[in-house]
Amino acid sequence: MIAQEELVDRIVRRYDGEVGMLIPMMQDVQAECGYLPAGQLRRLAERLDLPLSRLYAVATFYASFRLAPKGRHEVTLCVGTVCYLKGAGEISAMIQKEFKVEAGGTTADGLFSFQPVNCVGACALAPVMIVDGKYHDGVTQEKARGLLRGLSPDETGAQAEAKK
């Protein structure tokens, strides 16, 4: 717990305890931890004399903040109109059910984070799934299942791609 307190204290000092710098402070905590751990948010609220609910309101309002660690792999599925009409809704449901992951969540084993998004700007390739920055077009449930089962727990997407 000491390390948590020291981290938050250092960040608060960096901004001279200025409440108006709450978002940059939260960004710094996330940059250090990879997400916003509950203990860090509690300490930050205490140090700034703010209700914890205010920090959670900020964290849940801005999509750039995460309240849970990201998985080793990032999986994004376009569920925009064209992708949805071509089966993205069913693909999303399959991923959530089969891999036991909520939309916007991370698998229990930390293997991947799953994020359905409104549009990735690649409608001609619909449905589109992005795995570790690599676009996969014409995705079906079977193709999505294969891509996700092929993720390695001990490699980043770039390392796995380099092996191919």
Side-chain angles (χ1 to χ4, degrees):
M1 187 69 180
I2 296 290
Q4 284 185 358
E5 290 175 357
E6 289 175 7
L7 169 66
V8 170
D9 291 350
R10 181 171 36 94
I11 290 170
V12 169
R13 280 192 305 272
R14 182 180 309 145
Y15 294 97
D16 296 324
E18 178 61 45
V19 173
M21 299 302 288
L22 175 62
I23 291 173
M25 287 185 224
M26 292 172 66
Q27 289 170 329
D28 288 356
V29 169
Q30 183 166 283
E32 291 280 339
C33 301
Y35 70 109
L36 296 171
Q40 305 289 34
L41 288 178
R42 273 192 298 280
R43 178 68 177 174
L44 186 56
E46 290 169 6
R47 285 294 314 271
L48 297 176
D49 196 27
L50 292 172
L52 183 58
S53 60
R54 180 165 171 197
L55 276 69
Y56 275 99
V58 170
T60 56
F61 179 80
Y62 292 103
S64 62
F65 288 122
R66 290 181 301 284
L67 294 173
K70 281 180 23 177
R72 289 184 290 280
H73 300 277
E74 289 187 58
V75 176
T76 303
L77 177 67
C78 181
V79 292
T81 303
V82 176
C83 287
Y84 190 84
L85 290 173
K86 292 190 172 193
E90 291 84 7
I91 294 167
S92 178
M94 179 278 297
I95 290 171
Q96 292 178 62
K97 182 178 180 185
E98 190 164 319
F99 294 91
K100 296 176 180 56
V101 61
E102 293 180 19
T106 299
T107 56
D109 60 3
L111 182 60
F112 69 87
S113 295
F114 174 59
Q115 185 65 49
V117 297
N118 289 331
C119 186
V120 298
C123 299
L125 306 175
V128 176
M129 188 162 87
I130 306 166
V131 180
D132 294 330
K134 184 172 191 264
Y135 283 65
H136 299 272
D137 62 347
V139 176
T140 61
Q141 288 186 46
E142 295 73 31
K143 186 174 180 180
R145 185 179 291 113
L147 286 167
L148 297 178
R149 285 186 179 159
L151 294 176
S152 174
D154 38 343
E155 293 181 30
T156 64
Q159 290 170 328
E161 190 62 31
K163 283 185 154 185
K164 290 183 180 177

